[in-house]
Amino acid sequence: MVGVSCAGSGDGTIKLPSLPYNADALEPYISEETIRFHYGKHHSGYVKKVNRMIKGTAYANLGLEAIIQKTRGNADEIGIFNNAAQVFNHTFYWNSMKPGGGGAPTGIIAEKIEADFGSYDAFKTAFASAALSQFGSGWAWLVKDGDALKVIKTSNADTPAEGLIPLLTVDVWEHAYYLDYQNRRADYVDAYLQHLVNWEFAETNLVG
Ligand code: FE
């Protein structure tokens, strides 16, 4: 997986990366209160749990992405996988947004979206539909699969499968939007697309 560096570089500890903006920077679309709970309790909680679980095991000195790769699909290590994957997913999510973001992209990523989805509007429809149709908790993603861009969804803590390169993600666990939107996931996803998407981050992931 490429994208953000999630730390965990072999000193036995997975670190909680800093938020790339202030906790109130995404208002009014995502409140400071939501970010404080989401980052300060949920994301930070996954970091604490995974560190507790890997302590003294063969995973202790691996980086985060290696832990995710080695525990994926292993029923005995599901707790480590879930917490490690959620550390990765949340770091990727914070970086997928920025104040003043959203709307249609420009440049290389815009051309690629037009080529692979037909239009920006078609991409938006596909992304929103993945985010809304994810039953229960999970994530919607824009990924690069070989040469093609695709929209996928993953459930619970799952990350895009090996070989897929994530470009953007949105968290559709209720904790991501309930304080601001209650059950209106569609309004949250719409705000994400219209006002928050960090297209520079997506393009950096696209061009590697
Ligand atoms: Fe979350």
Side-chain angles (χ1 to χ4, degrees):
M1 278 182 282
V2 295
V4 294
S5 164
C6 291
S9 48
D11 68 351
T13 312
I14 303 297
K15 309 271 190 320
L16 177 67
S18 306
L19 269 182
Y21 31 71
N22 292 333
D24 64 355
L26 305 183
E27 290 198 338
Y29 308 108
I30 297 181
S31 66
E32 177 174 1
E33 191 186 15
T34 289
I35 301 270
R36 291 208 179 280
F37 273 99
H38 199 179
Y39 174 75
K41 302 284 183 200
H42 292 277
H43 193 179
S44 148
Y46 296 125
V47 171
K48 285 183 192 136
K49 278 186 213 143
V50 74
N51 279 322
R52 215 154 48 216
M53 292 172 130
I54 62 175
K55 198 170 180 187
T57 74
Y59 300 110
N61 291 314
L62 299 177
L64 186 68
E65 295 185 22
I67 295 173
I68 293 170
Q69 280 165 17
K70 286 183 186 298
T71 55
R72 184 193 292 281
N74 179 346
D76 293 336
E77 308 288 26
I78 186 74
I80 294 178
F81 174 81
N82 282 340
N83 285 284
Q86 284 292 75
V87 174
F88 175 88
N89 291 343
H90 282 88
T91 303
F92 208 90
Y93 170 62
W94 304 128
N95 283 279
S96 293
M97 301 184 287
K98 66 169 195 179
T106 55
I108 298 171
I109 187 96
E111 287 164 25
K112 190 68 183 142
I113 281 179
E114 210 148 293
D116 292 354
F117 291 93
S119 66
Y120 167 68
D121 280 345
F123 153 76
K124 230 169 49 168
T125 304
F127 192 88
S129 144
L132 298 183
S133 64
Q134 171 54 38
F135 184 76
S137 297
W139 302 81
W141 304 81
L142 174 63
V143 299
K144 188 171 169 222
D145 180 7
D147 267 345
L149 298 193
K150 286 184 183 164
V151 164
I152 63 161
K153 55 190 176 180
T154 59
S155 56
N156 298 316
D158 208 6
T159 59
E162 300 300 320
L164 299 181
I165 297 172
L167 307 187
L168 282 179
T169 194
V170 67
D171 186 343
V172 295
W173 286 55
E174 277 190 349
H175 66 221
Y177 59 88
Y178 208 83
L179 291 175
D180 298 327
Y181 297 90
Q182 291 76 51
N183 62 332
R184 303 189 314 277
R185 187 190 287 186
D187 291 351
Y188 157 69
V189 171
D190 192 54
Y192 170 93
L193 285 166
Q194 304 236 40
H195 303 286
L196 298 174
V197 171
N198 183 346
W199 285 115
E200 290 79 9
F201 176 67
E203 187 160 298
T204 302
N205 294 325
L206 173 67
V207 300

